[in-house]
Amino acid sequence: MSRYDGKANVIVMIQLSTREVEKIAAHVFSVPDADKLALRARLENLRKKGCPQGLATGRGKVAKFDFEQLADVSIALALIDAGLSPDYAVSAVEDTDGVVRECFGFLAHHDVSPDELRLAVDGGEWPGGKTVTAWCCMHRLLSTPRDLGVRVATWIASECTGDQQPAEVPFSAVRIDVGALFVRLVKAIAHVADVDAVELAKGLLAHAEDYVVRP
């Protein structure tokens, strides 16, 4: 049984509206009020490009985001913030092959107490100094994007301290601190959906424990 099991698992079923996702993204990326309309346009553009995948929309149907879809949108926004075009960011997210999910799984296997989770959510950084990082190694930026035989991105997951970079990661890779992203998403969701942040984090981590595909 997971150490996170319990009523917190119910919180994982939260479904977020488009406007709630906008508010959460604004919190996570510290978007000022003057730029929130631009953020809305960016999110709408990402949805038109297919990010996140699996979003149920259509006539008479209101779009609802689960946590994984929210994470995909956040990763795309982080890549755009790092300088990638929206097209490349969306393609890179499509190429993750579960690596970001696996990063959340690594976080779930860290020995973190509820008090540490509370402090982490308040501080916006994963506790203990050892975070989990997703490294995005971009391809096709210096060649024709029409060469569909070449992936847009390769992703590498690593558990590391500080800004330490694994030897197998190219020096030009984009670094995304998944530990910090997780606690900031939790804080923003808790604020927007009016739920307890630690209970939400515990539920999400319980769900994520199954994401790890290797020891």
Side-chain angles (χ1 to χ4, degrees):
M1 177 179 291
S2 166
R3 63 181 177 279
Y4 296 112
D5 278 347
K7 65 180 181 180
N9 281 316
V10 177
I11 297 177
V12 179
M13 302 306 295
I14 285 179
Q15 297 288 292
L16 300 162
S17 69
T18 298
R19 293 296 175 256
E20 287 173 328
V21 168
E22 290 176 10
K23 293 177 182 178
I24 290 166
H27 277 286
V28 170
F29 291 93
S30 302
V31 177
D33 289 342
D35 292 335
K36 286 182 178 177
L37 284 178
L39 173 64
R40 175 175 295 181
R42 174 68 72 201
L43 291 169
E44 289 176 352
N45 186 43
L46 288 175
R47 286 196 298 274
K48 289 177 182 177
K49 295 179 183 298
C51 182
Q53 293 185 336
L55 193 63
T57 58
R59 173 178 283 182
K61 184 174 290 187
V62 177
K64 291 292 184 179
F65 295 70
D66 60 24
F67 179 76
E68 292 174 14
Q69 290 167 327
L70 174 63
D72 283 349
V73 169
S74 300
I75 293 291
L77 289 173
L79 293 174
I80 291 170
D81 234 11
L84 272 66
S85 72
D87 285 335
Y88 272 114
V90 170
S91 295
V93 170
E94 291 173 353
D95 282 346
T96 56
D97 280 347
V99 167
V100 174
R101 286 162 54 97
E102 189 175 1
C103 285
F104 288 129
F106 285 143
L107 293 176
H109 287 274
H110 287 190
D111 188 14
V112 179
S113 70
D115 287 342
E116 288 174 318
L117 277 176
R118 179 79 65 186
L119 290 173
V121 169
D122 289 342
E125 300 292 340
W126 187 254
K130 186 176 183 181
T131 189
V132 177
T133 301
W135 300 89
C136 180
C137 313
M138 296 302 300
H139 315 300
R140 284 206 262 148
L141 288 177
L142 300 181
S143 59
T144 171
R146 297 184 183 86
D147 182 6
L148 299 180
V150 179
R151 292 165 59 91
V152 167
T154 298
W155 291 79
I156 299 173
S158 71
E159 296 184 88
C160 55
T161 302
D163 293 329
Q164 178 183 356
Q165 184 163 333
E168 69 271 20
V169 175
F171 75 92
S172 60
V174 177
R175 175 184 182 272
I176 297 178
D177 185 336
V178 179
L181 176 63
F182 177 80
V183 294
R184 293 176 191 189
L185 284 173
V186 165
K187 183 176 184 177
I189 295 170
H191 175 77
V192 169
D194 192 25
V195 296
D196 181 78
V198 171
E199 291 301 302
L200 173 62
K202 288 162 59 180
L204 292 170
L205 290 170
H207 184 66
E209 282 189 333
D210 294 334
Y211 289 167
V212 177
V213 296
R214 63 178 184 270

